[in-house]
Amino acid sequence: MILVKQSVLRLFQYRDFLIRSKKLGKESIFSDDFAENLGTTSIQVRKDFSIFGLSGNKRAGYKVDELLKQLNDVLKKDEKQKVIIVGAGNIGKALMKYDGFREGGLEIVALFDNDSKAQNEKAKPPVLALEQLYGFINENKIELGVIAVPYHSAQQVLDIMILAGIKGVMNFAPIALKAPKNFYINDMNLKIELESIAYFVKSLKKKRT
Amino acid sequence: MILVKQSVLRLFQYRDFLIRSKKLGKESIFSDDFAENLGTTSIQVRKDFSIFGLSGNKRAGYKVDELLKQLNDVLKKDEKQKVIIVGAGNIGKALMKYDGFREGGLEIVALFDNDSKAQNEKAKPPVLALEQLYGFINENKIELGVIAVPYHSAQQVLDIMILAGIKGVMNFAPIALKAPKNFYINDMNLKIELESIAYFVKSLKKKRT
DNA sequence: GAATTATTGTGAAACGATTCACTTAAATAA
DNA sequence: TTATTTAAGTGAATCGTTTCACAATAATTC
Ligand SMILES: NC(=O)c1ccc[n+]([C@@H]2O[C@H](COP(=O)([O-])OP(=O)(O)OC[C@H]3O[C@@H](n4cnc5c(N)ncnc54)[C@H](O)[C@@H]3O)[C@@H](O)[C@H]2O)c1
Ligand SMILES: NC(=O)c1ccc[n+]([C@@H]2O[C@H](COP(=O)([O-])OP(=O)(O)OC[C@H]3O[C@@H](n4cnc5c(N)ncnc54)[C@H](O)[C@@H]3O)[C@@H](O)[C@H]2O)c1
């Protein structure tokens, strides 16, 4: 199966759109609706579905309930995913307070910080000491993590996470982390994304002078 | 010039690494060092440089100062970029408090929020009312913005920004925004990125059973 | 009930990005 | 001084993704 990475990201977006449409009472949706909603083309949408064996109805689009069920299956949205966040600073806390994750089946079950002032066992979710990281992951069989610590601590934190059983992380530290091959890392370099917008904006200006 | 988008992102990362290396007293760097630091290959690094006409010294790598100057030139890092953030909630405030942007020449000059409780004209940077958005952009000739409002407000906020003269935004709202062709939008869909990590982790597991 | 229309479905072509395979040249060794 | 080594530089091949072109078919119209 080719074309996977980008298609999977879009499938998750199609799913979100389906959920919103269902809430509005829609019963069927066309590939054009998906395209319009997420800024792509209907060809792209159908191709994505085609790759994963998802099919609709000629001239009648896709039945919302049916496609949602198929999509949940393909995207393995069977059970809740527990997530931990290491680093309870700006980013860590912002993610913690966001409740949109729940809809995607993601539950932030704990944060970890080495600064005792940031810790709070009673909070929901609790903010625990770094020393508890290994044990918590291990006991609760956590597989997903977020790294939101300064860049000079990121690798050492990741090493603990890997050892304890985490299988993939979203990383906000601006550094390339080292991990085994079967470990999945998604780097979110916000600073560079913003800098590049500045660059492309300047480029666009040049072109139209 | 082909291969641009991804290469530009990497060039910004090379630049960050150069700056850090310079601080450590390094005077020259090899393509292998760049590759190692940001998790790619030396071939990729040299190709990126080659595309933008950046050159080093056979068998002696790249002179830090020289390359940095060339890179600043290519990446148009000539002057400070002023940035505004709309939505002073979790994400908006997290970005506001981050001081790593300054190093990249990005300065957050104001936030905007329609909730009067969030507003504070005296803060640094100030959190202003939504009504001030148009005037502020216009008077201060701002070109870059961040959208950190709930998804149902994102398009209306963007429309004001475009009208007032913004040329590109980083968007955290999980929705595809409509904008003119010469406008640059960078979508950061954190929820979907995290969901996709869960998916790929599950896929990896299957493969090695 | 035949013709037309609207929409899905998909192999093949095109495009964009990465990697390969090789050339070049400076530094070091012999 | 010549040979060897090491790293940069790059056109061409490959790979992954998107787009095209057209087939299939269900719904609608005539
Ligand atoms: N905030 C942003 O907008 C932003 C933007 C771009 C990049 N980033 C990156 O994201 C990461 C987090 O940024 P932030 O603004 O949230 O930083 P922050 O300083 O607000 O938070 C970092 C937290 O990590 C904790 N910490 C430090 N070392 C630790 C360790 N070894 N184990 C556990 N906890 C530890 C600190 O006590 C602190 O609470 C950084 O790497 C930063 O470069 C942040
Ligand atoms: N926080 C996260 O971790 C996270 C994760 C994924 C996506 N997002 C997305 O990022 C966006 C911001 O998330 P957040 O958690 O910071 O939300 P938030 O609710 O904490 O903040 C949103 C802020 O925008 C303000 N606002 C609302 N309508 C406005 C308008 N029309 N003009 C100006 N300000 C307005 C609100 O008063 C609030 O202060 C949302 O679209 C959310 O879906 C956030």
Side-chain angles (χ1 to χ4, degrees):
Chain A
M1 207 189 294
I2 34 155
L3 229 139
V4 166
K5 185 113 198 291
Q6 305 301 307
S7 288
V8 166
L9 283 173
R10 282 190 300 269
L11 289 185
F12 279 105
Q13 294 184 262
Y14 302 147
R15 180 174 177 270
D16 283 356
F17 178 58
L18 270 178
I19 290 172
R20 270 191 256 151
S21 303
K22 190 183 155 96
K23 281 189 190 143
L24 295 174
K26 280 257 175 75
E27 293 188 352
S28 67
I29 300 192
F30 300 112
S31 57
D32 253 340
D33 300 331
F34 287 105
E36 156 101 37
N37 177 263
L38 64 103
T40 181
T41 65
S42 59
I43 297 171
Q44 176 83 268
V45 173
R46 293 197 300 276
K47 189 59 156 185
D48 287 336
F49 289 165
S50 155
I51 288 160
F52 288 89
L54 305 174
S55 60
N57 312 285
K58 291 256 161 68
R59 234 200 126 147
Y62 302 82
K63 290 240 177 292
V64 171
D65 283 324
E66 200 178 303
L67 183 58
L68 199 47
K69 216 151 61 179
Q70 288 181 288
L71 260 179
N72 282 336
D73 204 46
V74 164
L75 297 174
K76 310 172 202 219
K77 304 247 65 149
D78 31 23
E79 62 208 53
K80 271 228 162 59
Q81 284 282 317
K82 286 182 251 172
V83 183
I84 56 154
I85 298 176
V86 186
N90 299 320
I91 288 284
K93 280 189 284 187
L95 295 172
M96 182 255 280
K97 287 183 201 149
Y98 183 64
D99 41 39
F101 288 129
R102 201 152 309 126
E103 183 196 279
L106 299 163
E107 191 193 358
I108 293 162
V109 293
L111 288 87
F112 295 86
D113 205 293
N114 69 349
D115 180 353
S116 60
K117 278 186 242 98
Q119 296 162 16
N120 180 359
E121 298 215 6
K122 299 278 156 58
K124 276 185 192 178
V127 183
L128 307 174
L130 189 60
E131 288 72 37
Q132 298 173 263
L133 180 60
Y134 181 92
F136 189 96
I137 295 169
N138 214 263
E139 281 161 32
N140 297 284
K141 306 244 173 301
I142 312 288
E143 299 194 329
L144 289 182
V146 176
I147 294 183
V149 298
Y151 85 94
H152 53 264
S153 307
Q155 184 68 55
Q156 86 191 54
V157 158
L158 179 66
D159 292 343
I160 300 172
M161 292 167 98
I162 293 172
L163 220 60
I166 294 267
K167 295 285 188 292
V169 296
M170 171 147 81
N171 170 45
F172 285 91
I175 191 165
L177 299 167
K178 272 151 201 113
K181 257 222 169 149
N182 62 333
F183 192 90
Y184 191 85
I185 297 179
N186 199 345
D187 290 308
M188 309 294 305
N189 196 323
L190 301 182
K191 184 191 138 211
I192 275 170
E193 295 292 337
L194 191 52
E195 279 189 275
S196 75
I197 298 172
Y199 172 86
F200 289 118
V201 161
K202 287 188 191 178
S203 304
L204 281 175
K205 255 202 300 196
K206 264 233 185 86
K207 261 190 216 143
R208 47 189 22 252
T209 312
Chain B
M1 207 190 294
I2 32 155
L3 230 140
V4 166
K5 184 111 202 288
Q6 305 301 307
S7 289
V8 167
L9 283 173
R10 282 190 299 270
L11 289 185
F12 279 106
Q13 293 184 263
Y14 301 147
R15 179 172 177 272
D16 283 356
F17 179 58
L18 269 177
I19 290 171
R20 271 190 255 152
S21 303
K22 189 182 156 99
K23 280 189 191 142
L24 295 174
K26 280 255 175 76
E27 293 187 352
S28 68
I29 301 195
F30 300 110
S31 57
D32 254 339
D33 300 331
F34 286 105
E36 156 101 37
N37 178 264
L38 65 103
T40 182
T41 65
S42 58
I43 296 170
Q44 175 83 268
V45 174
R46 293 197 300 275
K47 189 60 153 185
D48 287 336
F49 288 165
S50 156
I51 289 162
F52 288 89
L54 305 174
S55 61
N57 312 284
K58 291 255 162 69
R59 230 197 128 145
Y62 303 82
K63 292 239 176 291
V64 171
D65 284 323
E66 200 178 304
L67 182 57
L68 199 47
K69 214 151 60 179
Q70 289 181 288
L71 260 179
N72 283 337
D73 204 45
V74 165
L75 297 175
K76 310 171 201 218
K77 304 247 64 151
D78 30 25
E79 61 209 54
K80 271 228 164 57
Q81 285 281 317
K82 286 182 249 171
V83 182
I84 56 153
I85 298 175
V86 185
N90 298 318
I91 287 286
K93 280 189 284 187
L95 295 172
M96 181 254 280
K97 289 184 201 149
Y98 184 64
D99 40 41
F101 289 128
R102 202 152 308 126
E103 184 196 277
L106 300 164
E107 191 192 358
I108 294 163
V109 292
L111 290 87
F112 296 86
D113 205 294
N114 68 349
D115 179 354
S116 59
K117 278 185 244 97
Q119 296 162 15
N120 181 358
E121 298 215 5
K122 298 278 156 58
K124 276 185 193 178
V127 183
L128 307 175
L130 188 60
E131 289 71 39
Q132 298 174 265
L133 180 60
Y134 181 91
F136 189 96
I137 294 169
N138 215 263
E139 280 160 33
N140 296 284
K141 306 244 173 300
I142 312 290
E143 298 195 330
L144 289 182
V146 176
I147 293 183
V149 298
Y151 84 96
H152 53 263
S153 307
Q155 183 67 56
Q156 87 192 53
V157 158
L158 178 66
D159 292 343
I160 299 171
M161 292 166 97
I162 293 172
L163 221 59
I166 294 268
K167 294 285 188 291
V169 296
M170 172 147 81
N171 170 45
F172 285 91
I175 192 165
L177 299 167
K178 271 149 201 116
K181 257 221 167 149
N182 62 332
F183 192 90
Y184 191 85
I185 297 179
N186 199 345
D187 290 308
M188 309 295 304
N189 196 324
L190 302 181
K191 184 191 138 212
I192 275 170
E193 294 292 337
L194 191 51
E195 279 189 276
S196 75
I197 298 172
Y199 172 86
F200 289 118
V201 161
K202 287 188 189 181
S203 304
L204 281 175
K205 255 204 299 197
K206 265 236 184 83
K207 262 191 213 143
R208 46 189 23 252
T209 313

